[in-house]
Short mmCIF file of all heavy atoms in Angstrom, two decimals:
data_model
loop_
_atom_site.label_atom_id
_atom_site.label_comp_id
_atom_site.label_asym_id
_atom_site.label_seq_id
_atom_site.Cartn_x
_atom_site.Cartn_y
_atom_site.Cartn_z
N ILE S 127 24.60 -0.02 -1.29
CA ILE S 127 24.63 1.23 -2.00
C ILE S 127 24.01 2.20 -0.92
O ILE S 127 23.06 2.13 -0.56
CB ILE S 127 23.61 1.31 -3.14
CG1 ILE S 127 24.04 0.13 -4.21
CG2 ILE S 127 23.60 2.63 -3.83
CD1 ILE S 127 23.05 -0.06 -5.30
N ALA S 128 25.11 3.12 -0.56
CA ALA S 128 24.86 3.89 0.61
C ALA S 128 24.61 5.35 0.41
O ALA S 128 25.18 5.96 -0.44
CB ALA S 128 26.07 3.81 1.64
N ASP S 129 23.65 5.85 1.22
CA ASP S 129 23.54 7.33 1.25
C ASP S 129 23.30 8.04 0.00
O ASP S 129 23.96 8.97 -0.42
CB ASP S 129 24.69 7.96 2.10
CG ASP S 129 24.92 7.39 3.39
OD1 ASP S 129 23.81 7.11 4.10
OD2 ASP S 129 26.00 7.29 3.77
N GLU S 130 22.42 7.41 -0.81
CA GLU S 130 22.21 8.14 -2.23
C GLU S 130 21.55 9.47 -1.98
O GLU S 130 20.70 9.64 -1.21
CB GLU S 130 21.20 7.19 -2.93
CG GLU S 130 21.92 5.84 -3.39
CD GLU S 130 20.68 4.94 -3.95
OE1 GLU S 130 20.00 4.24 -3.02
OE2 GLU S 130 20.71 4.77 -5.00
N ASP S 131 22.10 10.37 -2.70
CA ASP S 131 21.67 11.95 -2.61
C ASP S 131 22.05 12.43 -1.31
O ASP S 131 21.74 13.68 -1.12
CB ASP S 131 20.09 12.07 -2.66
CG ASP S 131 19.64 11.37 -4.15
OD1 ASP S 131 20.35 11.30 -4.97
OD2 ASP S 131 18.38 11.05 -4.02
N LEU S 132 22.82 11.94 -0.54
CA LEU S 132 23.34 12.50 0.75
C LEU S 132 24.79 12.27 0.99
O LEU S 132 25.42 11.25 0.41
CB LEU S 132 22.55 11.90 1.96
CG LEU S 132 21.08 12.16 2.06
CD1 LEU S 132 20.57 11.41 3.22
CD2 LEU S 132 20.91 13.71 2.22
N ASP S 133 25.60 13.03 1.55
CA ASP S 133 26.94 12.96 1.95
C ASP S 133 27.00 12.87 3.47
O ASP S 133 26.85 13.84 4.01
CB ASP S 133 27.68 14.13 1.41
CG ASP S 133 29.24 13.91 1.64
OD1 ASP S 133 29.68 12.77 2.04
OD2 ASP S 133 29.94 14.84 1.49
N ARG S 134 27.18 11.62 3.96
CA ARG S 134 27.13 11.43 5.43
C ARG S 134 28.40 11.13 5.98
O ARG S 134 28.63 10.46 7.02
CB ARG S 134 26.10 10.31 5.67
CG ARG S 134 24.72 10.66 5.28
CD ARG S 134 23.68 9.77 5.68
NE ARG S 134 23.50 9.81 7.13
CZ ARG S 134 22.62 10.86 7.72
NH1 ARG S 134 22.04 11.71 6.92
NH2 ARG S 134 22.55 10.78 8.91
N GLU S 135 29.45 11.56 5.34
CA GLU S 135 30.87 11.26 6.04
C GLU S 135 31.78 12.50 5.30
O GLU S 135 31.43 13.14 4.49
CB GLU S 135 31.54 10.00 5.62
CG GLU S 135 31.93 9.87 4.18
CD GLU S 135 32.66 8.49 3.96
OE1 GLU S 135 32.27 7.51 4.66
OE2 GLU S 135 33.50 8.53 3.01
N ASN S 136 32.90 12.71 6.08
CA ASN S 136 33.86 13.66 5.65
C ASN S 136 35.23 13.09 5.73
O ASN S 136 35.33 11.79 5.95
CB ASN S 136 33.74 14.93 6.37
CG ASN S 136 33.88 14.75 7.78
OD1 ASN S 136 34.59 14.07 8.33
ND2 ASN S 136 32.93 15.59 8.55
N ASP S 137 36.29 13.80 5.50
CA ASP S 137 37.61 13.33 5.67
C ASP S 137 37.98 12.88 6.98
O ASP S 137 39.16 12.17 7.26
CB ASP S 137 38.67 14.36 5.09
CG ASP S 137 38.52 14.63 3.67
OD1 ASP S 137 37.92 13.67 2.95
OD2 ASP S 137 38.75 15.70 3.20
N GLU S 138 37.29 13.24 8.07
CA GLU S 138 37.65 13.00 9.48
C GLU S 138 36.93 11.90 10.01
O GLU S 138 37.37 11.17 10.89
CB GLU S 138 37.44 14.24 10.29
CG GLU S 138 38.33 15.38 9.96
CD GLU S 138 38.22 16.65 10.67
OE1 GLU S 138 37.38 16.55 11.51
OE2 GLU S 138 39.01 17.68 10.45
N LYS S 139 35.70 11.59 9.66
CA LYS S 139 34.81 10.59 10.27
C LYS S 139 33.61 10.22 9.32
O LYS S 139 33.26 10.97 8.41
CB LYS S 139 34.27 11.08 11.57
CG LYS S 139 33.27 12.14 11.53
CD LYS S 139 32.66 12.61 12.92
CE LYS S 139 31.76 13.68 12.84
NZ LYS S 139 30.46 13.27 12.11
N THR S 140 33.09 9.09 9.65
CA THR S 140 31.82 8.71 8.94
C THR S 140 30.69 9.09 9.97
O THR S 140 30.82 9.46 11.14
CB THR S 140 31.70 7.12 8.71
OG1 THR S 140 30.65 7.00 7.84
CG2 THR S 140 31.77 6.35 9.98
N SER S 141 29.43 8.93 9.42
CA SER S 141 28.20 9.24 10.25
C SER S 141 27.91 8.07 11.08
O SER S 141 28.35 6.98 10.65
CB SER S 141 27.09 9.61 9.39
OG SER S 141 25.95 9.82 10.07
N ALA S 142 27.14 8.21 12.09
CA ALA S 142 26.75 7.14 13.01
C ALA S 142 25.58 6.52 12.35
O ALA S 142 24.99 5.46 12.74
CB ALA S 142 26.40 7.55 14.30
N VAL S 143 24.86 7.22 11.29
CA VAL S 143 23.54 6.76 10.75
C VAL S 143 23.81 6.82 9.12
O VAL S 143 24.16 7.83 8.74
CB VAL S 143 22.45 7.54 11.01
CG1 VAL S 143 21.11 6.99 10.49
CG2 VAL S 143 22.18 7.52 12.74
N HIS S 144 23.50 5.64 8.48
CA HIS S 144 23.49 5.66 7.01
C HIS S 144 22.06 4.93 6.60
O HIS S 144 21.71 4.18 7.22
CB HIS S 144 24.61 4.86 6.60
CG HIS S 144 25.97 5.46 6.98
ND1 HIS S 144 26.71 6.54 6.28
CD2 HIS S 144 26.84 5.22 7.93
CE1 HIS S 144 27.77 6.76 6.83
NE2 HIS S 144 27.97 6.07 7.94
N PHE S 145 21.84 5.31 5.30
CA PHE S 145 20.75 4.61 4.67
C PHE S 145 21.34 3.88 3.54
O PHE S 145 21.93 4.36 2.67
CB PHE S 145 19.79 5.78 4.17
CG PHE S 145 19.20 6.62 5.18
CD1 PHE S 145 19.66 8.03 5.40
CD2 PHE S 145 18.24 6.17 6.04
CE1 PHE S 145 19.31 8.81 6.42
CE2 PHE S 145 17.75 6.96 7.17
CZ PHE S 145 18.23 8.17 7.18
N VAL S 146 20.94 2.53 3.43
CA VAL S 146 21.63 1.67 2.60
C VAL S 146 20.53 0.84 1.68
O VAL S 146 19.50 0.66 2.18
CB VAL S 146 22.58 0.66 3.28
CG1 VAL S 146 23.77 1.52 3.86
CG2 VAL S 146 21.89 -0.27 4.25
N ARG S 147 20.95 0.55 0.54
CA ARG S 147 20.15 -0.27 -0.33
C ARG S 147 20.96 -1.57 -0.82
O ARG S 147 22.00 -1.34 -1.27
CB ARG S 147 19.69 0.41 -1.47
CG ARG S 147 18.92 -0.29 -2.60
CD ARG S 147 18.14 0.71 -3.51
NE ARG S 147 19.08 1.64 -4.18
CZ ARG S 147 19.54 1.49 -5.43
NH1 ARG S 147 19.39 0.40 -6.08
NH2 ARG S 147 20.29 2.32 -5.92
#
Side-chain angles (χ1 to χ4, degrees):
I127 301 167
D129 302 323
E130 296 169 280
D131 302 335
L132 292 174
D133 185 8
R134 302 189 68 83
E135 68 174 35
N136 54 43
D137 293 337
E138 296 181 357
K139 67 179 181 65
T140 189
S141 171
V143 180
H144 296 275
F145 301 102
V146 299
R147 170 167 60 95

